[in-house]
Amino acid sequence: MKILKAMSDRFLKLFLSEVPAGACVINHGECCNARRMSHNCYGVCTRSPVC
């Protein structure tokens, strides 16, 4: 079973690139509209007291 997993991981690496995981999106905390909302850590526009 380990051999099959290792082979499938190597096969996927041929087509997919590795993306490092970060803590937050780049625009975290920026205002996203005029209704006092800002981007959260996932990039979703949510109500925030910051804006």
Side-chain angles (χ1 to χ4, degrees):
M1 195 66 173
K2 289 181 182 180
I3 294 172
L4 183 60
K5 180 168 177 8
M7 288 175 56
S8 65
D9 287 345
R10 287 183 186 159
F11 181 75
L12 285 175
K13 285 183 182 181
L14 292 173
F15 300 103
L16 302 176
S17 61
E18 289 187 30
V19 177
C24 289
V25 294
I26 297 171
N27 56 355
H28 170 66
E30 291 181 5
C31 296
C32 53
N33 65 18
R35 288 188 259 155
R36 299 179 50 111
M37 298 177 84
S38 66
H39 293 282
N40 67 6
C41 202
Y42 303 104
V44 178
C45 192
T46 57
R47 183 158 309 277
S48 170
V50 176
C51 295

